[in-house]
Amino acid sequence: MMVAMHFGLMAVMNFTTLTVGMLWLHAFTFDPEWLPARGRVGRQPVLLYDGECGLCNAVVRFLLREDATGVLRFAALQGRFGQEALKRCGLPREDFDSLVYLPDAEGHVYRLRTAGVVAVLDAVGGLWRLVGWAAWVVPGPIRDAGYKLVARTRYRFFGEYVPTPLPDAGWPVRFIE
């Protein structure tokens, strides 16, 4: 409510300097527990990612750290589970330029590119849910154009994934395969 009030003050009374400072204060005092991860009874969402991409693997490690409740599971698009899921969803099985978010590992519903990113952020919860909500302000075609640009250049800037041990002993169980 305080954030909405400060945006209102900025719009109506032009207290930009005070409002920006207060918004920063709210951002630093935000408690991720205020926006918990989405509870899905009996369902565990799965993120399919390019298992050979350095950027994709870095994002997966980031999500492992941020997903404190352990809601998300992960599988490489190139793996057996990933290939079966792509076939089940009617998606091409040799194109790894998009992540695929499956709200349920057994279902046929999926989200690609930035719609998948927003769904992942929503599943993780906390501040990341707010970031996902903010991403919906940008029209989908524009978001997806930026996503495709990163997808085309990711190997040039981040290279191929070099396997390294996972720092947390509980993380391997969150991977399928």
Side-chain angles (χ1 to χ4, degrees):
M1 295 304 295
M2 293 297 290
V3 170
M5 181 193 73
H6 284 290
F7 274 120
L9 282 173
M10 187 169 65
V12 175
M13 302 176 85
N14 197 15
F15 283 140
T16 307
T17 307
L18 172 67
T19 301
V20 170
M22 290 304 295
L23 289 173
W24 274 108
L25 178 69
H26 291 308
F28 286 116
T29 60
F30 179 80
D31 184 1
E33 295 296 320
W34 294 340
L35 291 172
R38 292 264 184 194
R40 293 182 169 81
V41 177
R43 293 171 47 171
Q44 285 191 302
V46 177
L47 177 65
L48 304 177
Y49 66 99
D50 182 354
E52 297 173 356
C53 168
L55 173 63
C56 303
N57 279 280
V59 167
V60 167
R61 285 176 181 248
F62 169 78
L63 290 171
L64 284 164
R65 281 191 306 274
E66 293 298 317
D67 183 15
T69 59
V71 173
L72 286 172
R73 294 188 308 163
F74 304 91
L77 286 163
Q78 296 89 341
R80 183 181 50 77
F81 179 86
Q83 289 292 300
E84 289 173 1
L86 291 173
K87 182 179 178 182
R88 195 171 53 243
C89 293
L91 296 170
R93 294 189 284 167
E94 58 282 335
D95 179 18
F96 306 123
D97 283 348
S98 175
L99 63 79
V100 179
Y101 175 80
L102 303 169
D104 185 356
E106 305 302 321
H108 298 282
V109 178
Y110 61 89
R111 294 191 179 153
L112 301 174
R113 294 183 215 48
T114 57
V117 170
V118 171
V120 166
L121 295 175
D122 189 48
V124 170
L127 183 61
W128 300 112
R129 182 177 289 168
L130 290 178
V131 172
W133 291 344
W136 281 117
V137 173
V138 180
I142 294 172
R143 286 191 326 254
D144 285 344
Y147 184 97
K148 289 175 184 177
L149 176 66
V150 171
R152 278 195 308 265
T153 59
R154 69 184 192 264
Y155 280 101
R156 187 174 324 142
F157 292 113
F158 298 97
E160 288 192 26
Y161 174 61
V162 177
T164 57
L166 294 172
D168 189 317
W171 288 357
V173 298
R174 299 193 40 208
F175 287 86
I176 300 174
E177 304 176 343

